[in-house]
Amino acid sequence: METNQYMDMFLDESHEHLQSLNDGLLGLEDNAEDLSILNEIFRNAHTLKGMSATMGYNKIAELTHEMEDVLDMLRKEQLAVTGDIIDTLFKCIDSLEQMINNVANGDPEDLIDVSDLVAKLSAILRGEGASGAPAATSTATAAPAEQTAAPVETSGAVSSDAPVDLSETEKKLISEAEKTGMHGVYLKVTLAESCLLKSARSYMVMNALEEIGEVIRTIPPAEDLEQEAFERSFEVILVTASEEEVVRDAVMGISEIENAETQIIKFGAAAPAPAPAPAPAVEQKSTSSSAATTPAPAPAPITQKSSSSSATNTQQKSSGGGGSSQNAAAQKKSHAGQSVRVDIDKLDTLMNLMGELVINKVRLEQIGQVHRLSELTETLEQMDRVTTDLQNIVMKVRMVPVSQVFNRFPRMVRDVTKELNKEINLTIEGEDTELDRTVIDEIGDPIMHLLRNSLDHGIEMPDEREAKGKPRVGEVGLIARHEGNNVVIMVTDDGKGIDADIIRRKAVEKGLFSQEEVDQMDDADAVRIVFLPGFSTAEKISDISGRGVGMDVVKSKIESLSGQVDVETHVNEGSIFKIKLPLTLAIIQAMLVQVQNEMYAIPLASIDSTLSVQPTDIRTVQNNEVIVLRGEIIPIIRIEETLMVPHVRDAHDLFVVVVHAGDSKAGIVVDKLIGQQEIVIKTLGNLFMGLKMFSGATVLGDGRVALILDVATMLN
């Protein structure tokens, strides 16, 4: 079988399933009784196993198969969810990620030895803990042998003429649903004899049902439906607020469905009766049950979505199981089957073509103005609207939610929290905020540095927090939101903050500043010293942070993306690190200026104002040229001197473009202001990597090339 054409799809989908497994385990750790989370984790592991086996990666398939067996016992309540099992499953995910990365790099999958993990999973299956010791006895494992042999279908669930038996968990789910005005529905779906793709039809049925409720069980199980291990019919237990007719119509609307039989399942949810629990009734008929099982803990209400307090609300893919609410299921379904996976190189090519179109449009506008061609001008007005719309669509196609970066951090915070023996809760907001793909690919490491800094240096130990009158659990926030044409990402914590006096002392000790210089700094400026290369306040070096190579890396990386980073802090109250990034780096608004015969572009987002000054308005302070603008002293930068452009000064009026980067300002002296224009940023390539003053170049409408000034570099 030729697998090369499927490799990219396998790698992409594998990473998606691994992320879903991570999110699911984080949710399970906080809510061990939520059966829907376990079902979702099981489905992801099962799908990953099938994909790996199909591609011939047997080691990956073997490990996921062992995970699947453990997860199956957990969801059937034959095992209790313990910290050891969660930790072992997390280690399995880490190993799977390494194996898949090896495959992506062209290395063998078995470079990672997973024999110990397989042995641990086997021990768990035998009823031993992850360390090989017997596991704590759970309700399920303490059950009689006959119940263990058939954990899902317990006796006494419904009357003798009921279609299927229900487990205690399923009965509780339906009973909880009835309290919210919903009810259980039994559904038998029969496919047409001519149906060839039975698994595809069953998948479509599940998706249709998830629009109107929650699937809590299929007969046969979902994995058998996926592998077409059934005849023409299968059965579904569903919780919904819809009537039988609505359920039938939803299924019969799918092609190649021959019949759909439904039956309402009701418990008559009144006040809970003393043990033994009442048996459910099917269409108002009920008979008492003679068998009683040990009651399981009540699950969360069916209409609520449980999520880890430290996990993002990431989208989860479903392949036959239930969503957590009707609304969530409907939203998930509304996007299903309406997206396409596109290689990023194709999007880059599309963006380049879009750029060429913008350049030619500007050229045509210039021709129309020079030759006064009214017909061309009218056509160009229409063309301008079309190209603007097209450009917006191309930009939106390249935009991806920051959740692609954020979703890796809940797991990291969990692991670091355990390593530091701290208690920390991560809250994520605005993960749907979108950024250009090129920016998304670059911001992961800076945010990782800031988060680790907050976890290690910011949040205090629980006892220390308690002594200060704070809650033992520290709060760390990761927030994204739009601000104009920028996206702001903030990392917040309620820890000890940054003491400006300590920063001043450290800066003097390291020889970065003199005592006189730091004494003249206000607290805000003193705290910003943390962004200087080689600066660290860590008393001891740890694996988490404190090697003095964190904050300066963050600053340089963000500035290379035309962004800014700043910090606001209060001692014993916490800190806020704020990253400000442009929405896109491909097409921007810029001011074109001329110095002698050279054209330059200055990004409009960096410009405060433009003004005309007399040569006599420029003063010299400590051998530096400055101007005074509204009482503020602003240093002057002469491009011809900075860039060594041959130039003769004259006595005519000068044009000054006042620019900013962070809190720094400067006035750039130019000969002529050409005007505002939309420009397409082109990279300079490896040959000009050393030119720090420029962030790229653009091709103008007349074919000339204008260099784009990197304002942040010029001001530093």
Side-chain angles (χ1 to χ4, degrees):
M1 174 183 172
E2 178 59 54
T3 58
N4 289 339
Q5 59 178 316
Y6 302 113
M7 178 60 75
D8 289 342
M9 186 183 300
F10 167 73
L11 294 174
D12 287 343
E13 294 193 4
S14 294
H15 285 300
E16 287 176 7
H17 286 299
L18 287 175
Q19 186 58 53
S20 294
L21 285 168
N22 258 315
D23 293 341
L25 284 177
L26 287 168
L28 189 66
E29 199 169 35
D30 281 357
N31 192 353
E33 298 173 0
D34 194 326
L35 191 63
S36 66
I37 296 178
L38 266 172
N39 284 333
E40 188 68 39
I41 296 171
F42 178 86
R43 280 193 296 272
N44 278 289
H46 175 77
T47 306
L48 185 57
K49 179 190 77 171
M51 289 165 48
S52 305
T54 302
M55 294 292 291
Y57 298 123
N58 296 324
K59 290 291 183 183
I60 298 176
E62 179 187 356
L63 182 56
T64 47
H65 179 72
E66 294 291 336
M67 287 176 62
E68 190 182 35
D69 287 345
V70 171
L71 291 166
D72 195 36
M73 290 186 71
L74 290 173
R75 68 178 188 155
K76 290 177 178 177
E77 299 182 326
Q78 291 176 309
L79 279 177
V81 177
T82 65
D84 279 347
I85 292 177
I86 293 282
D87 287 341
T88 302
L89 291 173
F90 270 130
K91 288 176 184 175
C92 290
I93 293 174
D94 292 341
S95 295
L96 287 170
E97 188 169 15
Q98 291 178 34
M99 294 165 82
I100 289 169
N101 286 338
N102 286 342
V103 168
N105 295 329
D107 297 324
E109 58 170 332
D110 54 6
L111 286 181
I112 307 296
D113 184 10
V114 295
S115 55
D116 288 346
L117 278 176
V118 172
K120 284 183 180 180
L121 293 170
S122 298
I124 292 171
L125 288 170
R126 294 193 301 270
E128 302 171 2
S131 60
T137 304
S138 68
T139 304
T141 53
E146 59 270 19
Q147 182 182 340
T148 304
V152 178
E153 297 182 6
T154 56
S155 61
V158 291
S159 58
S160 56
D161 60 345
V164 293
D165 287 343
L166 300 177
S167 70
E168 287 298 313
T169 301
E170 290 160 356
K171 286 189 285 185
K172 287 181 180 295
L173 284 171
I174 296 174
S175 180
E176 289 289 342
E178 288 180 354
K179 295 175 184 176
T180 63
M182 302 171 75
H183 53 260
V185 174
Y186 163 81
L187 171 69
K188 182 176 182 180
V189 180
T190 304
L191 304 178
E193 287 188 20
S194 58
C195 180
L196 296 177
L197 297 173
K198 296 192 294 183
S199 62
R201 294 303 167 203
S202 65
Y203 178 77
M204 292 172 70
V205 168
M206 296 307 165
N207 276 344
L209 294 176
E210 283 187 9
E211 277 195 342
I212 56 176
E214 179 182 7
V215 175
I216 60 175
R217 182 176 161 202
T218 63
I219 306 169
E223 55 267 29
D224 289 344
L225 294 179
E226 291 173 8
Q227 296 176 2
E228 299 193 355
F230 66 101
E231 296 299 326
R232 285 176 53 203
S233 63
F234 58 92
E235 300 161 289
V236 181
I237 305 297
L238 174 75
V239 169
T240 179
S242 301
E243 300 298 326
E244 282 186 87
E245 186 177 346
V246 175
V247 176
R248 272 197 301 271
D249 290 345
V251 175
M252 292 304 295
I254 299 169
S255 60
E256 296 188 312
I257 301 296
E258 183 178 289
N259 193 24
E261 304 171 30
T262 58
Q263 207 170 359
I264 295 289
I265 302 174
K266 287 188 178 178
F267 282 80
V282 179
E283 291 200 333
Q284 310 295 334
K285 299 177 186 176
S286 68
T287 56
S288 61
S289 167
S290 57
T293 56
T294 308
I302 200 73
T303 55
Q304 294 181 352
K305 182 168 186 176
S306 65
S307 63
S308 164
S309 60
S310 64
T312 66
N313 293 327
T314 51
Q315 284 186 327
Q316 295 182 345
K317 293 194 172 183
S318 172
S319 57
S324 299
S325 71
Q326 293 181 72
N327 291 338
Q331 289 173 2
K332 182 164 57 178
K333 176 69 172 104
S334 66
H335 297 289
Q338 296 180 8
S339 61
V340 188
R341 194 185 301 274
V342 179
D343 190 276
I344 189 66
D345 290 337
K346 292 180 180 177
L347 291 182
D348 288 339
T349 302
L350 184 60
M351 179 56 75
N352 286 332
L353 293 172
M354 185 66 237
E356 296 297 328
L357 189 58
V358 170
I359 291 168
N360 285 297
K361 179 195 73 174
V362 174
R363 176 61 177 149
L364 287 171
E365 287 172 349
Q366 291 176 347
I367 293 171
Q369 290 168 0
V370 170
H371 297 283
R372 293 183 174 86
L373 302 174
S374 59
E375 290 183 358
L376 178 60
T377 304
E378 291 171 5
T379 305
L380 280 171
E381 288 176 358
Q382 176 63 24
M383 183 182 174
D384 186 53
R385 287 192 291 271
V386 173
T387 52
T388 300
D389 290 345
L390 181 58
Q391 178 186 325
N392 289 335
I393 290 172
V394 173
M395 298 294 237
K396 287 177 181 176
V397 168
R398 290 178 56 87
M399 303 292 267
V400 291
V402 294
S403 59
Q404 291 203 7
V405 177
F406 285 8
N407 59 19
R408 74 175 80 162
F409 297 129
R411 169 70 192 283
M412 183 271 286
V413 171
R414 171 198 181 268
D415 293 345
V416 171
T417 300
K418 284 197 167 189
E419 186 178 338
L420 296 173
N421 292 318
K422 293 182 179 180
E423 297 176 24
I424 300 172
N425 178 54
L426 173 66
T427 304
I428 293 181
E429 297 176 22
E431 63 266 36
D432 293 333
T433 305
E434 292 186 328
L435 264 173
D436 189 279
R437 176 59 190 258
T438 53
V439 182
I440 285 284
D441 290 341
E442 300 291 334
I443 62 172
D445 287 342
I447 297 175
M448 178 82 76
H449 275 301
L450 293 177
L451 271 176
R452 286 180 175 272
N453 183 71
S454 289
L455 299 173
D456 195 9
H457 299 315
I459 301 295
E460 311 95 332
M461 297 299 290
D463 292 342
E464 185 182 345
R465 290 179 61 85
E466 209 165 40
K468 292 179 179 179
K470 295 182 177 182
R472 289 180 63 85
V473 179
E475 293 290 337
V476 172
L478 188 54
I479 303 163
R481 65 166 181 257
H482 284 289
E483 281 188 7
N485 288 324
N486 297 284
V487 167
V488 171
I489 297 173
M490 292 187 289
V491 177
T492 68
D493 67 69
D494 67 345
K496 57 189 175 187
I498 303 173
D499 192 325
D501 291 333
I502 294 176
I503 300 294
R504 291 187 180 97
R505 176 169 55 81
K506 288 280 185 181
V508 174
E509 287 177 7
K510 293 174 180 291
L512 298 174
F513 294 95
S514 66
Q515 186 64 49
E516 183 182 355
E517 288 173 324
V518 297
D519 288 343
Q520 292 176 352
M521 294 180 183
D522 60 21
D523 286 354
D525 287 335
V527 168
R528 292 190 183 100
I529 294 174
V530 299
F531 292 111
L532 294 179
F535 183 86
S536 174
T537 58
E539 299 297 333
K540 61 179 181 178
I541 290 176
S542 72
D543 290 334
I544 309 302
S545 59
R547 298 187 181 276
V549 292
M551 291 303 173
D552 61 309
V553 171
V554 170
K555 188 171 188 289
S556 60
K557 172 59 75 175
I558 295 304
E559 288 181 348
S560 73
L561 297 170
S562 302
Q564 305 160 19
V565 61
D566 202 4
V567 59
E568 179 185 327
T569 186
H570 300 282
V571 176
N572 285 329
E573 292 182 21
S575 303
I576 300 174
F577 286 89
K578 186 175 181 180
I579 296 172
K580 194 172 185 179
L581 293 161
L583 280 174
T584 179
L585 300 179
I587 298 178
I588 63 169
Q589 295 289 333
M591 172 72 74
L592 291 180
V593 299
Q594 185 172 335
V595 178
Q596 281 300 90
N597 295 323
E598 300 293 334
M599 298 277 285
Y600 299 98
I602 305 174
L604 213 59
S606 300
I607 297 176
D608 276 356
S609 60
T610 60
L611 62 151
S612 174
V613 299
Q614 297 288 333
T616 55
D617 293 333
I618 298 178
R619 304 171 187 177
T620 302
V621 177
Q622 296 180 347
N623 294 324
N624 292 317
E625 290 186 316
V626 301
I627 60 171
V628 179
L629 180 63
R630 292 186 288 274
E632 185 179 5
I633 297 175
I634 297 175
I636 286 294
I637 298 173
R638 291 185 180 269
I639 289 186
E640 68 271 13
E641 294 176 1
T642 305
L643 303 179
M644 293 180 287
V645 177
H647 191 269
V648 178
R649 292 193 187 183
D650 52 38
H652 296 300
D653 289 356
L654 300 172
F655 294 100
V656 176
V657 181
V658 181
V659 296
H660 69 268
D663 291 333
S664 302
K665 283 187 179 181
I668 299 175
V669 178
V670 300
D671 292 340
K672 189 183 295 185
L673 300 176
I674 306 300
Q676 179 181 334
Q677 187 174 306
E678 200 171 52
I679 64 169
V680 180
I681 298 177
K682 303 284 188 180
T683 57
L684 292 174
N686 295 332
L687 187 61
F688 300 101
M689 286 292 286
L691 300 177
K692 300 295 184 185
M693 288 289 182
F694 308 110
S695 58
T698 187
V699 181
L700 302 177
D702 58 4
R704 286 191 293 170
V705 173
L707 294 168
I708 304 168
L709 298 179
D710 187 338
V711 172
T713 303
M714 295 184 73
L715 267 57
N716 287 339

